[in-house]
Amino acid sequence: MISKPNPTIVILPDRAALARDAARRFVTLAHTAIESRGRFTVALSGGSTPRDLYALLAMPEFATQVDWTRVHFFGGDERAVPPDHPDSNYRMAREALLSKISVPDPNVHRIHAELGPDDAAREYEIELRNFFQSQDTQVNLPSFDLILLGLGTDGHTASLFPHTRVLDETERWVAAVYVEKLGTHRITLTVPVINAAKNIVWLVAGADKADIVRTVLRGADRPDDLPAQHIQPVNGNIVWLLDQAASIKLNE
């Protein structure tokens, strides 16, 4: 049995307020990381709620507060589709944010999902190891400054789905996974990598998420049924940003 996470839970009035709170946190974490380490590393999430954040970060109010030349963007997970496919998480992030800010091309580290899931996972792990081990060859796991996560109604996060073998992965940084109920392949950061992050911010909005939010945060430990319960940073901070609709059942 794993211990329950002890996160900070922040409830915002609506999706717009959630995105604004997330943008402020992004800027603050970027400033801190750049000042202390010279760079800010962030793993992005797919989904409509993160898209709201990305669109806001691209606006002058926030975009002018970040030195984008010091920011490195990574993918938290990806569908096994080309980068121009409508289902591509990278395409969404590019259209909402990356194409609208002055981030150098080498600072955008995308998952090359068009290679196929297994090859893409192997290549991305090599890229992560080359990046994070460039200054410290003894690093066992990457330590992202920020990993953004969403929550599916089935309790999945990133591409960590219930009862998939990837949940038991302890050696790989990146893994391919076949999600049988969706009939699709995915590529994802693994549980140990996510738990090694300095900061994890969950972005969850909508009444359709209220039941799963309550189950993950207040229910019994069932991490194989609810992969989101696997996410418990070793030394990092964890914050759940919820809109009012997603939080409505937390105290039932």
Side-chain angles (χ1 to χ4, degrees):
M1 186 73 69
I2 60 176
S3 61
K4 293 288 285 184
N6 185 27
T8 298
I9 299 172
V10 180
I11 300 172
L12 290 311
D14 51 35
R15 288 175 64 113
L18 190 160
R20 182 162 291 274
D21 187 281
R24 287 195 291 262
R25 291 173 187 273
F26 184 103
V27 169
T28 297
L29 290 172
H31 285 170
T32 299
I34 292 169
E35 182 176 343
S36 62
R37 294 180 292 280
R39 71 186 187 194
F40 178 54
T41 55
V42 54
L44 302 178
S45 172
S48 59
T49 307
R51 184 186 180 96
D52 293 344
L53 164 63
Y54 305 157
L56 196 56
L57 287 172
M59 300 295 288
E61 175 186 357
F62 291 101
T64 55
Q65 296 187 55
V66 178
D67 180 357
W68 297 108
T69 67
R70 301 294 189 94
V71 179
H72 287 262
F73 291 98
F74 297 82
D77 74 312
E78 185 57 275
R79 297 172 174 88
V81 296
D84 57 352
H85 192 281
D87 292 338
S88 168
N89 286 340
Y90 166 74
R91 174 178 170 169
M92 182 273 282
R94 182 191 68 213
E95 292 178 349
L97 174 61
L98 301 177
S99 65
K100 296 181 166 119
I101 56 176
S102 299
V103 58
D105 289 343
N107 288 22
V108 178
H109 309 265
R110 77 173 180 88
I111 299 170
H112 291 93
E114 67 273 20
L115 298 176
D118 292 326
D119 288 342
R122 280 192 293 268
E123 183 197 71
Y124 205 55
E125 178 157 343
I126 290 170
E127 178 161 359
L128 292 185
R129 287 183 181 274
N130 288 340
F131 181 88
F132 284 98
Q133 293 177 335
S134 61
Q135 295 181 341
D136 182 2
T137 58
Q138 301 304 310
V139 65
N140 293 319
L141 288 167
S143 183
F144 285 94
D145 293 305
L146 171 63
I147 294 182
L148 298 170
L149 293 176
L151 179 67
T153 55
D154 61 353
H156 88 268
T157 190
S159 284
L160 304 170
F161 284 83
H163 304 288
T164 51
R165 286 183 297 176
V166 71
L167 298 180
D168 299 320
E169 179 60 59
T170 59
E171 300 297 327
R172 297 285 303 276
W173 290 11
V174 185
V177 57
Y178 180 71
V179 185
E180 187 171 357
K181 71 175 184 176
L182 300 178
T184 186
H185 292 272
R186 302 282 187 97
I187 304 99
T188 187
L189 298 181
T190 58
V191 170
V193 169
I194 297 174
N195 281 337
K198 295 179 179 70
N199 296 277
I200 293 173
V201 175
W202 296 80
L203 307 172
V204 188
D208 63 320
K209 302 294 178 67
D211 285 327
I212 195 63
V213 165
R214 179 189 59 192
T215 301
V216 168
L217 289 175
R218 303 288 190 242
D221 291 318
R222 297 185 290 118
D224 287 338
D225 297 326
L226 304 164
Q229 290 185 337
H230 276 286
I231 307 308
Q232 301 172 59
V234 178
N235 294 306
N237 301 308
I238 185 166
V239 176
W240 285 73
L241 300 184
L242 310 172
D243 73 348
Q244 186 67 36
S247 72
I248 198 69
K249 295 187 177 181
L250 267 182
N251 295 320
E252 289 186 359

